Amino acid sequence: MHFRSRRVLFVIIVFFLLVAGCKKERPSPSWNVDLLTPLFTDTVTITDVLSDTLISINPDHSVSFVFDEKLYDLVVDSLVKLPDTLFNWLFSLSALPNPITLQPGDTIFEEVFEWPLDFDSFYLDGVELENVLIRSGNIKFEVLNQSETSLLSVFGIISAVRNESDTFRISEKIPAYAFADKTYDVSAYNLDLTGEDGLEYNVLQYYLAMIVHPDEPGSIQINPEDTFAINIHFSDIVIDYAKGYFGQNNFNFGPENFEVDFFSDLNAGAFSVENASINLRIENNYGVEGYYRISELKAKNSETGDEVPLQGIMIDSNLFIDRAMQEGNGLNIIYPNIQSYDFSNSNFPDMISILPDLFTYKIEVDMNVLGDSTNHDNFFYYDSPISVFMDAEVNQGVMIQDMFVENTMEWNGSGVSFDNVGEGQIVILFKNGFPFSFDVNMYLEDENHEVLDTLVYNGFVEGGLLDENNRVIEPTDSRITVGLDDRLRQSIVDARFNNYELLINSAESKHVRIYSDDILQMKVIGDFTLLVEQD
């Protein structure tokens, strides 16, 4: 080879050796990867929004609001009362020509007798009772002894029996020239008011005796001027059961309040309906027929002070309801008479729009309007009153405003690592098939349900698309994004629960139709940019 050519080749070789000796180490390749991490999912159904005690599901999956609420119990304890005074007895010895001598234990007088109850003092006409069971109450026994000896005063009601064999009977020592005032419990005593022959009414059989007290040390004298006064009367008697004929009398009840909790369960700011099927149901558990006149039925919201009275043709109308029947006497086996009255043309939707927690009523009852058609078979039981119910069913056309619902679910962020995460965001997706819009708050909570961070505050989820009947024909999609910061990165990992709050309103402020297959789907996704490096 020519010398010049060899020198050129040598230079080239040296050049490449120098370049190779000065070359730096080449860096590893890296790139960004978008990573979607599911953190939370939930599906809200109609029973999550509305308590199943408030609604019923129809065969076509439509949802009806069912208002079946007792408005009040008409406990007619004044229907029959026992007169307070049983009898007053003044016993004088003025007929004695001379004092008489008696020994301890001798009887001054002893009497078995009948005495009628004084119903005229109660202004109750025509009452003829056969049997009364006392629920609670007392007998007061008052005796004045105007003599020189101590007496043993014995009093009994032969026709008052408890536990089938325990006849009411008391004995009291009355000192000389003393007044005794004693009270005895007569709860659970059954009073037979038909007299000794079983053919009378309002009559009790009594036993009364005055005896020289056996503790007297010796013989005593009874003088013509000696007298004994006895007063027996009932106190605070409550009747548990009564049977007989209660007479044709008129009673007024109210105004009285009756609490209802139907709308507190709804937990809404406002609730209205377009129309409803409404019935007033009276369940008569008394063996008395009559006319019932509702002079006032008013819905009240005690918090706002709003009041709406019931209006319509039923107000002040004579609503006839027939008597109940019973099986046996005093056995509390009742076959009530139930009568419903249509109030659908009333202003009931206006009444419930104020979300009442009280109903106020005034009612008047004309009793036994058919006379003694039952042959002394009127009856009542204290624990089985006349009950008045409002039955309403709202099939469709409901507008709800500001109804609050809250729920807490498990959070799936404990396994997330942010070591290689660069930028990112939290994406919250909503698919809403309800005819409601939702204002949303969403929080991350620790294991003690303490709030770590806020994901959403005052977020808005649009209601489903409505057709001409205000039923959802297509769900809507909503999306809320939250950017990552240092605090949220830590909260995502530390959180154990997702707590969300929903403030619910009817879509487009309309009276909407609700169906059981309406749902709201929620998903929380971590949309992270992950930096990946190759070794």
Side-chain angles (χ1 to χ4, degrees), residues 329-350:
N329 292 335
L331 299 178
N332 204 13
I333 302 174
I334 305 169
Y335 303 98
N337 188 284
I338 301 174
Q339 181 68 50
S340 292
Y341 304 93
D342 189 359
F343 271 69
S344 296
N345 293 325
S346 71
N347 65 327
F348 182 76
D350 295 332

Side-chain angles (χ1 to χ4, degrees), residues 397-470:
V398 177
M399 184 164 66
I400 295 173
Q401 295 179 354
D402 296 337
M403 184 171 70
F404 180 79
V405 172
E406 180 181 21
N407 196 14
T408 300
M409 303 287 292
E410 290 187 0
W411 175 254
N412 188 32
S414 59
V416 176
S417 173
F418 286 96
D419 292 344
N420 295 318
V421 171
E423 297 179 349
Q425 62 186 359
I426 296 296
V427 181
I428 308 171
L429 303 174
F430 300 91
K431 181 179 285 291
N432 185 12
F434 277 111
F436 306 131
S437 64
F438 297 91
D439 292 293
V440 182
N441 297 329
M442 189 174 289
Y443 308 96
L444 296 182
E445 298 179 341
D446 63 15
E447 64 274 7
N448 298 316
H449 295 283
E450 296 291 334
V451 175
L452 297 174
D453 217 329
T454 300
L455 285 182
V456 180
Y457 188 74
N458 282 342
F460 180 74
V461 177
E462 187 177 359
L465 182 64
L466 305 178
D467 63 11
E468 65 276 7
N469 296 315
N470 294 331

Side-chain angles (χ1 to χ4, degrees), residues 1 74 80 146 156 172 179 253 271 278 297 326 328 338 448 533:
M1 179 180 291
L74 202 62
V80 174
Q146 292 284 68
E172 287 292 342
F179 175 77
F253 304 96
F271 177 78
I278 305 160
L297 181 60
Q326 71 171 339
I338 301 174
N448 298 316
E533 296 184 355

Side-chain angles (χ1 to χ4, degrees), residues 133-162:
L133 177 61
I134 297 177
R135 184 181 185 89
S136 62
N138 304 291
I139 277 182
K140 297 202 71 175
F141 180 56
E142 301 170 345
V143 180
L144 177 63
N145 177 13
Q146 292 284 68
S147 74
E148 296 179 353
T149 183
S150 294
L151 300 177
L152 180 65
S153 181
V154 182
F155 170 73
I157 304 178
I158 299 171
S159 52
V161 179
R162 181 170 59 186

Side-chain angles (χ1 to χ4, degrees), residues 100-359:
I100 59 174
T101 300
L102 297 174
Q103 301 299 319
D106 284 349
T107 299
I108 299 174
F109 67 84
E110 183 179 34
E111 189 82 26
V112 174
F113 59 96
E114 294 181 346
W115 199 292
L117 298 175
D118 183 16
F119 280 100
D120 291 340
S121 63
F122 273 174
Y123 304 103
L124 295 177
D125 297 331
V127 176
E128 296 178 345
L129 294 184
E130 294 181 352
N131 183 253
V132 169
L133 177 61
I134 297 177
R135 184 181 185 89
S136 62
N138 304 291
I139 277 182
K140 297 202 71 175
F141 180 56
E142 301 170 345
V143 180
L144 177 63
N145 177 13
Q146 292 284 68
S147 74
E148 296 179 353
T149 183
S150 294
L151 300 177
L152 180 65
S153 181
V154 182
F155 170 73
I157 304 178
I158 299 171
S159 52
V161 179
R162 181 170 59 186
N163 299 327
E164 297 184 358
S165 60
D166 179 15
T167 300
F168 182 81
R169 191 179 182 100
I170 57 174
S171 299
E172 287 292 342
K173 180 179 180 179
I174 316 298
Y177 297 105
F179 175 77
D181 182 359
K182 300 290 184 178
T183 300
Y184 303 91
D185 185 14
V186 289
S187 301
Y189 273 94
N190 187 47
L191 308 183
D192 183 346
L193 298 166
T194 60
E196 184 178 9
D197 56 8
L199 300 176
E200 300 182 79
Y201 308 106
N202 306 335
V203 171
L204 283 173
Q205 293 178 275
Y206 300 101
Y207 171 84
L208 183 63
M210 286 292 183
I211 301 168
V212 177
H213 201 280
D215 291 344
E216 284 291 311
S219 61
I220 58 96
Q221 276 195 333
I222 295 295
N223 301 300
E225 60 270 19
D226 292 344
T227 58
F228 313 99
I230 300 169
N231 180 37
I232 312 292
H233 60 92
F234 284 128
S235 173
D236 302 322
I237 294 293
V238 176
I239 297 177
D240 200 49
Y241 167 77
K243 178 182 177 296
Y245 177 58
F246 299 162
Q248 291 182 306
N249 294 288
N250 175 271
F251 299 92
N252 290 279
F253 304 96
E256 293 186 26
N257 291 328
F258 199 95
E259 296 183 359
V260 294
D261 58 6
F262 179 89
F263 296 102
S264 62
D265 293 338
L266 191 61
N267 198 20
F271 177 78
S272 65
V273 301
E274 287 184 314
N275 51 66
S277 173
I278 305 160
N279 289 285
L280 189 73
R281 186 175 85 247
I282 300 178
E283 294 188 3
N284 183 15
N285 289 287
Y286 289 169
V288 180
E289 85 282 348
Y291 287 122
Y292 296 79
R293 285 183 298 278
I294 301 171
S295 57
E296 180 181 282
L297 181 60
K298 185 184 297 182
K300 291 184 177 182
N301 185 313
S302 58
E303 183 175 345
T304 64
D306 293 335
E307 297 183 359
V308 177
L310 179 67
Q311 298 172 349
I313 60 173
M314 292 296 180
I315 295 297
D316 285 327
S317 296
N318 282 332
L319 308 177
F320 177 79
I321 184 166
D322 211 344
R323 61 190 305 274
M325 305 296 289
Q326 71 171 339
E327 184 177 313
N329 292 335
L331 299 178
N332 204 13
I333 302 174
I334 305 169
Y335 303 98
N337 188 284
I338 301 174
Q339 181 68 50
S340 292
Y341 304 93
D342 189 359
F343 271 69
S344 296
N345 293 325
S346 71
N347 65 327
F348 182 76
D350 295 332
M351 296 177 71
I352 65 173
S353 68
I354 66 169
L355 303 180
D357 58 354
L358 292 173
F359 279 89

